[in-house]
Amino acid sequence: MTQTENLPAYPTLSPAELRHPDSLKWTLYAEDVIPMWIADMDFPVAPPILAALSERLERSLGYHQLMGDKVLDSLLRAKLDTHGLSGLPEGGLAMLPGVVPGIYASVAALTQPGERVLTMTPVYHPFHLSITGLGREVAAVPLLDGSGGYEIDWDGMEAAAQDARLMLLCHPHNPTGRVWTHDELEKLRDLVVRHDLYVLSDELHADLRFTEGPFESFAAAERVRDRTITVTGPCKAFNTAGLGIGVLIGHDAELVKRVRAAAGGLMGHEGAMSVTMWQAALRDGGPWLADTVAYLRANRDFLTEYLREHLPAVRFHPVESTYLAWLDLRDCPRAGDMQTFLLEEARVAVHDGPTFAPEEFKAPSQGFVRLNFATSREILTEALERLRRALDGAQ
Ligand SMILES: Cc1ncc(COP(=O)(O)O)c(C=O)c1O
């Protein structure tokens, strides 16, 4: 496949435009390194968001607490309806200054110190960091590498759920890109009912899907609604992580209140510009999002083909969601220091696999890396060529 064969028209940015002092992604490493680590996309701000933010700056920036709830309420409810989260009560939404604070607040509110929290591994690192940081215990179950993609180890989950209090679910899953199917969700729902677990479902990546049909929230089924807190926000789909905002969602308004109260005044409130940004994204961001997902899908396909053709030693299951590729390089000679090797020899910065594992699973995660492919096709191609040269050289 040539570099541009399957490429939809889309505005992307060059390294010179991206490497500015406000970008952590592009300034952490030396100038000759291609940064494919942190989950930011190398794309310009969506025009409707840019317009709304510029317009917002002409008005006051005074206190606006509780405005987020008012401004976003009906837009969010309409969106959540499409995920199966209809009928949310008054008090079923509570704004957050980001999604991660919602993970911490849920662990704090729904468990006691020393209790066990069920999750899968690998997983987005604040999952296990929130559990250990708050003095709880991680009950992590490794995902299985099935022939068609990563799979849940049902026996492992059953065993680990025995003495757990809460399950943290990442849906879609960062870093494997899985979107849990209806059948998998049903089995997870049975599990949490059987073991009487609370659930925190992080659905931040739901809009970056390559699967057909509407997204199914974990809490879309009646029988788990009242034990589930869902968290989401605009920062992945709309590339707005610098404007922190998120929301706690629940059918049991008392539970939402309890979780929000666990952070109390420590958490702070969402910023005025972030509310305006999310409003613009929900109201007018659809076409931009569709173009972005089309571009990401084409990059995913290109990456998949490239790895199959040129780097068969790298195991990769094409992701169903997210722009993050979980690459298994354990068969490569330098698997023991893979992230450093790729940084030094390929001049490509990726996230190291063990980052996404709790302490006891760090060793088995060695040799995996997470690569962010939300960049121009030109940069992606250059990065893959560099990986190929470095990995070929290491044979
Ligand atoms: C699953 C997941 N949850 C939460 C976050 C971060 O959310 P926030 O920046 O709003 O705290 C990320 C960032 O990549 C993520 O992948």
Side-chain angles (χ1 to χ4, degrees):
M1 195 192 311
T2 62
Q3 193 198 308
T4 51
E5 211 165 280
N6 67 345
L7 200 58
Y10 188 80
T12 55
L13 298 169
S14 67
E17 291 167 305
L18 290 158
R19 195 175 292 108
H20 54 72
D22 292 328
S23 170
L24 174 64
K25 183 181 183 186
W26 280 83
T27 54
L28 188 71
Y29 296 100
E31 275 209 11
D32 65 332
V33 169
I34 301 181
M36 308 190 93
W37 60 291
I38 202 166
D40 271 341
M41 300 196 275
D42 292 340
F43 305 146
V45 178
I49 291 180
L50 204 54
L53 290 176
S54 310
E55 196 265 338
R56 179 68 180 80
L57 280 175
E58 289 169 15
R59 305 199 301 276
S60 79
L61 286 172
Y63 281 114
H64 72 290
Q65 277 105 320
L66 306 180
M67 287 299 286
D69 296 41
K70 286 203 190 93
V71 172
L72 299 172
D73 189 80
S74 60
L75 286 165
L76 275 174
R77 281 172 193 269
K79 161 111 200 124
L80 294 168
D81 272 358
T82 68
H83 296 180
L85 298 181
S86 52
L88 288 163
E90 176 97 355
L93 300 178
M95 302 312 295
L96 299 168
V99 171
V100 170
I103 302 173
Y104 274 77
S106 300
V107 172
L110 304 177
T111 62
Q112 296 296 320
E115 283 188 326
R116 286 165 72 75
V117 181
L118 176 64
T119 191
M120 299 164 194
T121 180
V123 77
Y124 177 57
H125 42 302
F127 275 43
H128 45 85
L129 294 178
S130 63
I131 300 168
T132 52
L134 292 168
R136 278 68 169 168
E137 279 188 40
V138 187
V141 181
L143 286 166
L144 303 174
D145 184 355
S147 53
Y150 288 94
E151 293 169 4
I152 296 171
D153 173 356
W154 296 107
D155 291 341
M157 290 293 278
E158 191 65 41
Q162 300 288 344
D163 52 356
R165 191 82 196 97
L166 165 71
M167 177 175 80
L168 297 189
L169 180 68
C170 197
H171 174 47
H173 185 262
N174 171 5
T176 68
R178 278 299 319 277
V179 179
W180 307 116
T181 62
H182 174 72
D183 288 351
E184 287 169 320
L185 292 171
E186 282 292 279
K187 282 176 91 165
L188 286 172
R189 290 170 184 142
D190 291 344
L191 181 94
V192 301
V193 170
R194 210 164 39 247
H195 294 280
D196 194 19
L197 307 184
Y198 286 118
V199 181
L200 181 275
S201 186
D202 178 336
E203 304 188 352
L204 181 58
H205 291 265
D207 282 338
L208 292 178
R209 270 175 313 114
F210 314 119
T211 49
E212 298 303 320
F215 177 74
E216 180 179 339
S217 271
F218 178 80
E222 188 79 41
R223 69 187 189 286
V224 293
R225 284 192 158 177
D226 289 347
R227 61 176 72 241
T228 304
I229 293 286
T230 306
V231 281
T232 194
C235 75
K236 293 303 111 175
F238 289 94
N239 203 28
T240 55
L243 284 177
I245 191 164
V247 66
L248 289 173
I249 304 152
H251 280 84
D252 179 347
E254 279 307 309
L255 198 68
V256 173
K257 200 167 155 190
R258 214 172 109 199
V259 171
R260 184 64 185 80
L266 287 175
M267 187 140 72
H269 56 83
E270 69 281 4
M273 297 301 277
S274 64
V275 174
T276 298
M277 172 273 291
W278 202 357
Q279 182 187 31
L282 287 165
R283 203 182 43 203
D284 306 318
W288 182 90
L289 182 61
D291 290 349
T292 303
V293 170
Y295 194 84
L296 293 175
R297 180 199 295 267
N299 266 4
R300 177 206 58 176
D301 294 345
F302 176 74
L303 169 74
T304 307
E305 281 306 308
Y306 189 99
L307 293 175
R308 280 203 186 120
E309 201 175 319
H310 302 296
L311 287 167
V314 180
R315 275 184 68 81
F316 170 59
H317 296 294
V319 299
E320 298 163 328
S321 174
T322 81
Y323 45 78
L324 306 166
W326 184 240
L327 306 180
D328 178 352
L329 295 122
R330 285 175 300 169
D331 287 343
C332 301
R334 295 291 298 269
D337 64 344
M338 190 44 78
Q339 194 272 347
T340 311
F341 169 71
L342 294 179
L343 183 61
E344 286 174 359
E345 300 300 322
R347 310 302 287 163
V348 173
V350 291
H351 253 308
D352 204 11
T355 305
F356 303 96
E359 211 47 50
E360 59 180 308
F361 291 104
K362 288 210 184 290
S365 307
Q366 186 58 48
F368 286 86
V369 299
R370 193 191 76 173
L371 177 143
N372 174 345
F373 60 81
T375 193
S376 71
R377 178 62 61 84
E378 205 177 334
I379 296 174
L380 177 60
T381 307
E382 168 65 18
L384 289 170
E385 299 276 312
R386 288 185 186 193
L387 294 184
R388 176 183 174 187
R389 281 197 297 273
L391 291 165
D392 282 352
Q395 294 303 322

